[in-house]
Amino acid sequence: MSFWGQLGFQDSFSALSSELIFFHDHAMFVLVLVSSFVGYMMVCLLKSSLSSRFVVEAQALEAAWTVVPGLLLLILAIPSVRLLYLLDEVGGPAVSMKAIGHQWYWEYEYSDGGKSVGFDSYMVGGMDVGSGGYRLLEVDNRCVLPYGVDSRVLVSSADVIHAWALPSVGVKVDAIPGRINQLGVHLMGSGLMFGQCSEICGVNHSFMPIGVEGVSPAVFYSWLMG
């Protein structure tokens, strides 16, 4: 999760989140490179008393400053499109979970293994958060997902538009009334992940956090059947 004063991203719990962070670093490298070059050229032109002394038509220069930006855009576009398709890929999920947004809490449903499990997840009040808990992020019932296998999350809403978002997993999907959106999740290890509704859904929008526990498949199925 994020802490105050943190400048970087949250630690990754999925391969997609790692890919998103890598693409951010890749784009920032290109941005710094271009900004440094443009700044250097601006300083050189401001300090020089002779501007374009020998440039008449300069077809080669025209071609260069057309082709080079085009190549830079390709360097950014190719990994961006690849990542966009990876984010939409669900694969062959071993587990399906349904998340339904309400004003202002989340409802979770599991129907795998021949048994249906459902519960509501409300934010724990500030006075009830125990030692080591996180204010405005702790919930009374966390949803559980196994790591090492593909999981599918089906997201919808019972009233207004919400958004189910887990930054450390690199996923965010809108919960729209009358529509079911899906996303693929593949956790890399066990841990506790926090998220929040990312669509302004009413007066208590800030008080419907998301709590997810990543556990081993054996523990998950034991919990589901128990």
Side-chain angles (χ1 to χ4, degrees), residues 6-74:
Q6 179 176 330
L7 297 178
F9 290 94
Q10 298 183 22
D11 293 337
S12 298
F13 270 91
S14 70
L16 286 179
S17 179
S18 300
E19 289 282 344
L20 286 169
I21 294 174
F22 173 79
F23 176 70
H24 169 269
D25 296 340
H26 172 73
M28 288 300 296
F29 173 78
V30 175
L31 178 62
V32 170
L33 187 68
V34 171
S35 300
S36 300
F37 176 75
V38 171
Y40 172 76
M41 295 302 297
M42 290 176 62
V43 171
C44 290
L45 289 174
L46 289 174
K47 292 176 64 176
S48 175
S49 59
L50 303 175
S51 177
S52 304
R53 182 180 180 184
F54 301 106
V55 178
V56 181
E57 292 187 359
Q59 299 297 331
L61 184 61
E62 290 279 357
W65 68 38
T66 302
V67 171
V68 172
L71 292 175
L72 291 176
L73 289 176
L74 281 178

Side-chain angles (χ1 to χ4, degrees), residues 5-212:
Q6 179 176 330
L7 297 178
F9 290 94
Q10 298 183 22
D11 293 337
S12 298
F13 270 91
S14 70
L16 286 179
S17 179
S18 300
E19 289 282 344
L20 286 169
I21 294 174
F22 173 79
F23 176 70
H24 169 269
D25 296 340
H26 172 73
M28 288 300 296
F29 173 78
V30 175
L31 178 62
V32 170
L33 187 68
V34 171
S35 300
S36 300
F37 176 75
V38 171
Y40 172 76
M41 295 302 297
M42 290 176 62
V43 171
C44 290
L45 289 174
L46 289 174
K47 292 176 64 176
S48 175
S49 59
L50 303 175
S51 177
S52 304
R53 182 180 180 184
F54 301 106
V55 178
V56 181
E57 292 187 359
Q59 299 297 331
L61 184 61
E62 290 279 357
W65 68 38
T66 302
V67 171
V68 172
L71 292 175
L72 291 176
L73 289 176
L74 281 178
I75 291 173
L76 292 175
I78 291 175
S80 175
V81 173
R82 170 183 171 271
L83 188 56
L84 185 64
Y85 278 94
L86 285 176
L87 289 170
D88 284 338
E89 186 66 33
V90 176
V95 175
S96 292
M97 179 187 75
K98 190 171 184 180
I100 305 172
H102 296 263
Q103 289 181 312
W104 288 270
Y105 64 95
W106 291 98
E107 177 188 353
Y108 298 103
E109 296 178 4
Y110 299 83
S111 56
D112 294 316
K115 184 177 180 180
S116 180
V117 176
F119 55 88
D120 297 334
S121 179
Y122 288 86
M123 186 191 75
V124 176
M127 300 298 294
D128 299 322
V129 176
S131 177
Y134 298 104
R135 179 178 172 270
L136 301 182
L137 289 177
E138 293 290 347
V139 295
D140 55 358
N141 293 307
R142 298 175 184 141
C143 63
V144 182
L145 290 174
Y147 64 79
V149 298
D150 291 331
S151 302
R152 177 178 61 176
V153 182
L154 303 172
V155 183
S156 186
S157 173
D159 35 52
V160 299
I161 298 178
H162 302 275
W164 199 83
L166 277 180
S168 59
V169 184
V171 295
K172 176 183 180 293
V173 63
D174 288 337
I176 301 174
R179 176 175 175 177
I180 297 178
N181 292 326
Q182 69 173 358
L183 57 89
V185 174
H186 188 101
L187 302 181
M188 296 189 298
S190 62
L192 180 59
M193 293 143 277
F194 293 103
Q196 291 177 306
C197 176
S198 298
E199 190 75 34
I200 298 177
C201 56
V203 64
N204 287 331
H205 157 70
S206 301
F207 305 106
M208 50 180 302
I210 301 163
V212 178

